[in-house]
């Protein structure tokens, strides 16, 4: 198997400072019309009830995203750096490189960032031109 030449580095996203970690992805909603993506992160309470949502991430100017789940996440994350922070910036990004190849470089002039939201059950990679808005649920 050929190894990909781009060595990715995961950098904690400054906007996630102070947010709870160890959460699970509870919802993912893409509004195709507006081009937005919303992710809800929550704390599992027990096996019979849905997790309690702690905060939402809302990406506005979305270019693409992918979701990995289960055992695939662990191998993927251990390979690419620090996972102490649940939201990270990935640089350089193989996903962003692939995106530019697929779009024939039509978005090279835009400042697109690769955000990774990692939980114990899913990993969501998001390509966006603006950082996400964070909405913390008030108790």
């Amino acid at each position: 198997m050929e190894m990909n030449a781009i060595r990715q580095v995961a950098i904690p996203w400054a906007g996630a400072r102070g947010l709870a970690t160890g959460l699970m992805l509870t919802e993912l909603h893409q509004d195709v019309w507006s081009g937005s993506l919303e992710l809800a992160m929550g704390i599992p309470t027990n096996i019979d009830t849905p997790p309690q949502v702690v905060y939402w991430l809302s990406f506005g100017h979305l270019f693409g995203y992918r979701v990995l789940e289960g055992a695939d996440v662990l191998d993927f994350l251990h390979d690419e750096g620090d996972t102490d922070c649940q939201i990270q910036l990935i640089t350089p990004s193989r996903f962003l490189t692939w995106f530019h190849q697929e779009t024939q470089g039509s978005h090279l002039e835009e400042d697109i960032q690769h955000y990774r939201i990692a939980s114990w059950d899913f990993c969501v990679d998001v390509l966006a031109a603006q950082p996400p808005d964070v909405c913390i649920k008030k108790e």
Side-chain angles (χ1 to χ4, degrees), residues 29-38 58-62 65:
H29 174 76
Q30 179 184 6
D31 183 333
V32 177
W33 185 255
S34 71
S36 67
L37 179 72
E38 292 191 6
S58 181
F59 289 91
H61 198 75
L62 179 70
Y65 70 95

Side-chain angles (χ1 to χ4, degrees), residues 89 92 138:
L89 286 170
K138 304 290 187 221

Side-chain angles (χ1 to χ4, degrees), residues 8-76:
Q8 298 186 129
V9 177
I11 301 166
W13 177 55
R17 196 170 293 132
L19 293 177
T21 59
L23 303 179
M24 62 187 299
L25 179 67
T26 63
E27 297 176 41
L28 184 142
H29 174 76
Q30 179 184 6
D31 183 333
V32 177
W33 185 255
S34 71
S36 67
L37 179 72
E38 292 191 6
L39 292 86
M41 305 298 292
I43 298 173
T45 53
N46 70 50
I47 195 112
D48 297 327
T49 59
Q52 177 185 359
V53 174
V54 175
Y55 65 84
W56 289 270
L57 295 172
S58 181
F59 289 91
H61 198 75
L62 179 70
F63 286 94
Y65 70 95
R66 65 182 178 192
V67 179
L68 298 173
E69 72 175 286
D72 297 334
V73 174
L74 295 176
D75 291 338
F76 193 68

Side-chain angles (χ1 to χ4, degrees), residues 64-136:
Y65 70 95
R66 65 182 178 192
V67 179
L68 298 173
E69 72 175 286
D72 297 334
V73 174
L74 295 176
D75 291 338
F76 193 68
L77 293 175
H78 286 126
D79 197 32
E80 299 178 16
D82 178 17
T83 58
D84 288 342
C85 179
Q86 202 154 359
I87 306 169
Q88 305 161 335
L89 286 170
I90 307 299
T91 183
S93 165
R94 292 190 292 258
F95 185 32
L96 184 55
T97 299
W98 170 85
F99 172 78
H100 285 310
Q101 289 171 343
E102 291 298 309
T103 60
Q104 299 178 354
S106 61
H107 298 283
L108 284 171
E109 298 300 317
E110 300 193 51
D111 185 21
I112 302 172
Q113 299 294 318
H114 176 175
Y115 295 88
R116 172 167 295 153
I117 298 87
S119 66
W120 61 271
D121 56 349
F122 288 95
C123 176
V124 182
D125 288 302
V126 178
L127 299 178
Q130 299 169 348
D133 291 326
V134 178
C135 179
I136 299 172

